[in-house]
Amino acid sequence: MPGDFGDESGEKLFDWMLRVGEDASETAMLAAAQRLKSAFKNLRGDIAQSGKTKDCQEVTEWAKLKLEELQALPEYSTLKEAIAAKLSSVKVEHDFFTDERGKDFLLFRVKDAPDVSRAFSELECDTDRAFDMALASRGKTREQVRDAEPLDERAASAKKASKALDAAREHVREIELSEVRTK
């Protein structure tokens, strides 16, 4: 199985997907997969800002990335294992940290931010493959899952996705420019 993904993280995502599917229907499995991909995408956006000040000067050697969105997903410990396996496979030094409020963070070196972002991007793709493999193991396809969902629920999810896309387009990162004067 690791050969299907290139490392152990994909296998862990596949196992996670099967456990989610065992606890619920294929539709719930699809929703969980989409939430996971969204969480990985959001984490990649947060990585771009880690360890920088407003004027883009490096201030720390280590970055701390919030994992709140992942903590809300089922089988969170398996997701942490998948992330750890992926980061280890790309040789990124990392650790998980829990603060006094019970919030988890991923710690990594600021210089490794591009590698961490790439790793999360690969995990997004691995999530799709794991979902398709989990469906295949159940003898189903994405189309069958989509068609089994009632039309009004599909319309509601399409509206929600449309609003999310609009919000993502509006969410433009502002860059603060500073004037530099020389003699």
Side-chain angles (χ1 to χ4, degrees), residues 16-159:
W16 175 81
M17 197 74 60
L18 283 179
R19 278 196 294 281
V20 168
E22 288 170 358
D23 294 342
S25 67
E26 287 84 7
T27 305
M29 193 166 56
L30 174 62
Q34 289 172 335
R35 285 179 54 205
L36 179 60
K37 283 178 48 180
S38 174
F40 286 142
K41 181 176 274 191
N42 292 340
L43 285 170
R44 286 185 25 234
D46 289 346
I47 290 170
Q49 296 182 9
S50 61
K52 304 281 183 181
T53 63
K54 287 183 181 177
D55 56 358
C56 295
Q57 295 176 351
E58 286 195 23
V59 292
T60 60
E61 183 179 349
W62 290 89
K64 182 169 79 170
L65 187 62
K66 293 180 196 174
L67 299 177
E68 287 178 277
E69 209 171 340
L70 289 175
Q71 278 183 286
L73 293 170
E75 298 287 332
Y76 170 64
S77 61
T78 304
L79 296 175
K80 275 177 50 176
E81 290 174 12
I83 292 168
K86 178 59 81 176
L87 292 175
S88 294
S89 75
V90 295
K91 309 227 182 326
V92 170
E93 187 178 351
H94 66 281
D95 199 7
F96 293 96
F97 167 74
T98 305
D99 69 4
E100 62 278 352
R101 295 172 303 187
K103 305 279 185 186
D104 275 3
F105 297 90
L106 173 67
L107 299 174
F108 59 92
R109 293 190 184 279
V110 172
K111 68 178 180 157
D112 291 332
D115 293 330
V116 174
S117 180
R118 246 186 324 278
F120 281 123
S121 178
E122 290 172 11
L123 285 168
E124 278 182 67
C125 295
D126 289 350
T127 300
D128 275 333
R129 282 191 287 178
F131 176 67
D132 289 335
M133 290 173 67
L135 284 180
S137 73
R138 293 172 153 235
K140 303 262 182 169
T141 64
R142 282 181 186 258
E143 291 76 23
Q144 289 172 323
V145 172
R146 186 195 64 225
D147 293 343
E149 188 177 12
L151 187 58
D152 57 340
E153 287 180 24
R154 287 194 302 195
S157 65
K159 285 179 184 177

